[in-house]
């Protein structure tokens, strides 16, 4: 979802099991996960990277329309040991590694909301533009071992528009500890009624203006999702990265007239230059 992302079952994870790599290389990244930008090269102090990517993605939550979007990449980071403070795009945050197997993260990000114009076919006409605002994101990953081959993940997104949480499992592929390679996460996503109505609810006023049935969403299970991240170091400065995401909505979400599709998906690729 543009808000990501991770869920699973023992059967799926069993199919991913491969012998774990021996930790013979020096760990230069805070954690060796391709989904986490780390431009420090294992050194304390400031680091900076700049890049761009292109994404083909669902136009809005529940849409059956897709489009291309250019996205900036990179960011400014400051590292001290096992703590990294960062600023990237519309988010500022901190992440820290504890006991080699616990990764904590907290960030404040900006939610652009939804505009009627997000639907080129006019499916959102009469619903108005939803409010923009800031969100607090808290996330924890707990690795099964210090090699970060498998982990559990939990995330909470909270703000003025309600709360969303996800819980899942992840698996890293590749032998290096520098943040290159690939990973997959499988998650279950839940939301409270306020957050659900932000994306899929329709008030009486919106119903009268749009012709869509008034809809009041309740909280609970929202979706199951899987996402894949890839990162490759072309040389000491250039990185190529990619991501693919699929989120399948619950039956409760699919009952909303806004949910014209039963899934959300995106795929993207980009390049980053580390200074």
């Amino acid at each position: 979802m543009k808000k990501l992302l991770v869920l699973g079952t023992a059967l799926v994870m069993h199919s991913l099991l491969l012998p774990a790599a021996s930790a013979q290389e020096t760990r230069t990244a805070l954690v060796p996960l391709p989904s986490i930008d780390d431009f420090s090269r294992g050194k304390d102090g400031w680091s900076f990277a700049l890049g761009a990517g292109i994404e083909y993605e669902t136009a809005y939550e529940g849409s059956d329309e897709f489009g291309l979007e250019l996205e900036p990449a990179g960011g400014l980071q400051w590292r001290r040991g096992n703590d990294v403070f960062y600023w990237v795009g519309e988010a500022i945050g901190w992440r820290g590694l504890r006991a080699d197997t616990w990764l904590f993260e907290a960030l404040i990000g900006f939610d652009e909301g939804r505009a009627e114009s997000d639907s080129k076919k006019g499916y959102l006409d009469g619903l108005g533009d939803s409010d923009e605002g800031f969100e607090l994101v808290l996330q924890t990953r707990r690795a099964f071992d210090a090699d970060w081959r498998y982990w559990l993940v939990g995330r909470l997104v909270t703000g003025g528009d309600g709360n969303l949480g996800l819980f899942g499992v992840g698996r890293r592929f590749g032998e290096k500890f520098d943040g290159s390679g690939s990973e997959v996460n499988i998650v279950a996503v839940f939301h409270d009624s306020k957050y659900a109505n932000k994306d899929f609810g329709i008030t009486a006023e919106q119903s009268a203006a749009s012709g869509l049935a008034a809809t009041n969403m309740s909280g609970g299970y929202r979706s199951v999702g899987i996402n894949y991240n890839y990162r490759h170091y072309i040389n000491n400065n250039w990185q190529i990265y990619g991501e693919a995401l699929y989120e399948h909505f619950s039956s409760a979400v699919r009952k909303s007239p806004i949910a014209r599709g039963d899934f959300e998906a995106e795929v993207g690729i980009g390049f980053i230059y580390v200074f």
Side-chain angles (χ1 to χ4, degrees):
M1 57 206 288
K2 299 172 188 135
K3 294 189 184 323
L4 234 37
L5 327 346
V6 242
L7 166 254
T9 64
L11 180 60
V12 174
M13 290 309 298
H14 178 73
S15 68
L16 297 174
L17 291 177
L18 292 173
S22 58
Q24 297 177 351
E25 299 184 38
T26 301
R27 186 195 301 268
T28 58
L30 186 66
V31 286
L33 301 181
S35 62
I36 297 179
D37 288 329
D38 190 333
F39 310 129
S40 68
R41 299 187 177 99
K43 300 177 181 179
D44 286 354
W46 292 100
S47 57
F48 175 65
L50 191 62
I54 188 168
E55 296 180 347
Y56 182 71
E57 60 184 359
T58 307
Y60 56 89
E61 301 282 352
S63 174
D64 59 358
E65 302 172 63
F66 289 81
L68 291 172
E69 185 172 357
L70 187 65
E71 293 283 348
L76 180 66
Q77 300 179 346
W78 184 78
R79 179 170 179 173
R80 181 179 178 183
N82 288 330
D83 294 281
V84 174
F85 298 87
Y86 61 88
W87 171 56
V88 53
E90 297 175 333
I92 184 170
W94 159 86
R95 63 176 63 102
L97 179 67
R98 299 294 182 268
D100 290 331
T101 56
W102 284 96
L103 179 66
F104 299 96
E105 185 165 9
L107 69 90
I108 296 176
F110 184 73
D111 182 6
E112 297 179 350
R114 186 187 66 203
E116 286 189 3
S117 59
D118 287 344
S119 173
K120 304 305 181 185
K121 298 180 180 179
Y123 295 141
L124 300 177
D125 290 353
L127 297 182
D129 298 343
S130 62
D131 293 335
E132 301 174 339
F134 289 95
E135 293 180 326
L136 173 65
V137 180
L138 303 174
Q139 178 170 270
T140 301
R141 298 198 202 193
R142 172 63 164 91
F144 294 166
D145 206 337
D147 64 359
W148 282 84
R149 185 63 65 187
Y150 305 96
W151 61 86
L152 302 176
V153 60
R155 180 184 301 171
L156 172 66
V157 180
T158 183
D161 291 321
N163 304 288
L164 176 142
L166 65 79
F167 310 91
V169 292
R171 180 14 166 142
R172 179 176 70 89
F173 302 89
E175 308 302 319
K176 297 183 178 181
F177 287 85
D178 58 2
S180 63
S182 61
E183 71 178 76
V184 63
N185 295 274
I186 307 173
V187 298
V189 186
F190 302 85
H191 53 198
D192 62 16
S193 59
K194 191 172 183 180
Y195 201 99
N197 281 293
K198 174 181 76 75
D199 291 330
F200 301 105
I202 301 173
T203 66
E205 293 78 10
Q206 290 174 323
S207 175
S210 66
L212 300 175
T215 303
N216 184 40
M217 303 290 295
S218 59
Y221 170 59
R222 177 187 178 100
S223 62
V224 57
I226 180 169
N227 87 303
Y228 172 83
N229 289 276
Y230 169 82
R231 190 180 302 269
H232 174 69
Y233 295 166
I234 300 173
N235 55 38
N236 194 48
N237 297 101
W238 283 101
Q239 302 178 10
I240 182 173
Y241 67 92
E243 180 183 21
L245 165 71
Y246 177 85
E247 180 186 11
H248 192 82
F249 294 123
S250 68
S251 58
V253 168
R254 296 198 301 269
K255 291 178 181 178
S256 168
I258 295 175
R260 304 189 64 88
D262 57 5
F263 70 93
E264 176 183 357
E266 69 177 66
V267 60
I269 188 171
F271 293 88
I272 295 176
Y273 184 86
V274 181
F275 291 86

